[in-house]
Amino acid sequence: MPDSTLIELRRATLAAFASADTMQQLEDARVTALGRKGTLAQISKDFGKLSPEQRASVGKLLNSVKQDLESAYEEKKKHFEEAELARRLAGEWIDVTLPSPGLRPGSLHPITLIQNEIEDLFTSLGFAILYGPEVETEEHNFDALNIPAMHPARDMQDTFWLSNGHLLRTHTSPVQVRGMRELGPPLRMIAPGRVFRNEEVDASHEHTFYQVEGMMVDRDVSVANLIYFMKTLLSGVFHREVTVRLRPGYFPFVEPGFELDIRCLICDGSGCAVCKHSGWVELLPCGLVHPNVLRLSGIDPEEWGGFAFGLGLTRLAMMRYGIDDIRQLQGGDLRFLSQF
Ligand code: PHE
């Protein structure tokens, strides 16, 4: 076997390695030359037919060709592997300082926004913020508020009763009862939260809505104090001076009781659809705490007096943001909620 066969094999295979554009082409070239049934293996088979002298010289050349081809192959393979790694790294590279493309920042619910404002406002006026349970006892929700069983005032609030005799609170007034009993007078507190009434749902009625009720119990509390706090509250919420008026209103837990109206903020009192052309919007029931209510929570009405009010948070949010359908607020529709 002439040496030129081996030399030619080396030349051709090195050229094939050099011109391989893919790993597969490189691999094919390797198999052709170095594979188990490749050219080199074929040549080695014929090795036995050579004379001992020839064997020595050809063997040497054969080994050196084999080594040359193997190392050329390894080098080219390494080159492909590095290119592949570089390509993968380029693809997987991320800029960790970029904002995530998949997530949008959330936003607070309009009721939460207005509740936060009201809480801040009352905190600045020295009021504590108290939260109570949504499942209440009949005693906290009704009896302690001077609404005994069989009293017709129970019908004013359609109630979801639970089978164990408890109920879903119909207002946050029971938190005032808890406040009076646990903290005692003098007391300034508000009770924001979710309340429930067994109502037919339409554009202006929901079975689930939000209130902020509040009370102040101290010595010599008068209707003038009540009006002052209510005006401060409403100016704070609407960011402007509001004109209020009181009309008599009946609630078993206050005496005297009032409906507080504000001069319509849409038309300034000249009459529009929002105020039903009366110039006034009914917003806030309130009054001086009934002596029975104080007594039922262990406070002596001879020594202490107070005012209480019930603000419809849902109603307020609707007025503030011009929301015309109450069902939007509980609906969970992100297209609506993400506007705030
Ligand atoms: N608790 C009453 C309600 O939910 C509101 C109210 C509170 C009225 C305080 C007067 C005084 O309807």
Side-chain angles (χ1 to χ4, degrees), residues 157 170-171 173 197 211 213 251 253-254 285-287 308-310:
Q157 302 179 349
T170 57
H171 46 186
S173 307
R197 292 197 195 168
Q211 289 188 324
E213 296 214 1
F251 301 92
F253 28 88
V254 286
C286 54
F309 61 91

Side-chain angles (χ1 to χ4, degrees), residues 87-302:
R87 196 189 58 74
R88 248 185 52 212
L89 286 180
E92 288 172 4
W93 182 87
I94 53 164
D95 182 350
V96 294
T97 65
L98 279 177
S100 158
L103 293 175
R104 281 176 292 117
S107 58
L108 293 177
H109 192 282
I111 290 191
T112 308
L113 290 171
I114 205 147
Q115 179 178 333
N116 287 351
E117 270 185 41
I118 290 174
E119 290 187 3
D120 285 351
L121 208 95
F122 274 103
T123 304
S124 76
L125 295 170
F127 281 64
I129 297 160
L130 303 185
Y131 303 99
E134 292 177 340
V135 172
E136 264 295 4
T137 64
E138 185 179 355
E139 203 267 332
H140 283 99
N141 196 82
F142 289 125
D143 302 74
L145 293 164
N146 201 30
I147 320 174
M150 308 313 290
H151 193 287
R154 286 211 179 183
D155 298 338
M156 289 165 69
Q157 302 179 349
D158 295 311
T159 308
F160 287 113
W161 291 94
L162 305 182
S163 53
N164 64 2
H166 293 339
L167 48 81
L168 295 184
R169 65 181 180 190
T170 57
H171 46 186
T172 61
S173 307
V175 186
Q176 302 178 343
V177 173
R178 293 174 183 276
M180 285 188 287
R181 291 179 182 177
E182 278 161 41
L183 303 173
L187 176 67
R188 289 181 189 192
M189 56 152 287
I190 59 166
R194 191 158 63 153
V195 302
F196 309 87
R197 292 197 195 168
N198 195 349
E199 301 228 21
E200 208 69 61
V201 174
D202 62 26
S204 50
H205 295 88
E206 252 288 10
H207 48 68
T208 302
F209 55 99
Y210 289 77
Q211 289 188 324
V212 179
E213 296 214 1
M215 79 175 351
M216 172 170 168
V217 179
D218 211 322
R219 296 186 171 86
D220 304 321
V221 175
S222 70
V223 173
N225 298 126
L226 168 65
I227 294 175
Y228 168 79
F229 277 102
M230 294 306 101
K231 280 191 77 161
T232 307
L233 161 69
L234 295 171
S235 312
V237 168
F238 291 110
H239 304 300
R240 59 195 265 201
E241 189 74 22
V242 291
T243 309
V244 305
R245 76 174 184 191
L246 294 183
R247 287 178 293 118
Y250 173 70
F251 301 92
F253 28 88
V254 286
E255 180 60 36
F258 307 104
E259 290 285 359
L260 185 147
D261 303 336
I262 59 170
R263 162 108 10 106
C264 182
L265 296 170
I266 310 293
C267 65
D268 259 331
S270 59
C272 69
V274 170
C275 61
K276 300 191 188 89
H277 301 283
S278 71
W280 297 91
V281 176
E282 184 181 318
L283 198 65
L284 203 153
C286 54
L288 295 185
V289 182
H290 196 292
N292 283 350
V293 171
L294 295 173
R295 222 175 272 121
L296 285 164
S297 286
I299 297 174
D300 180 2
E302 299 298 325

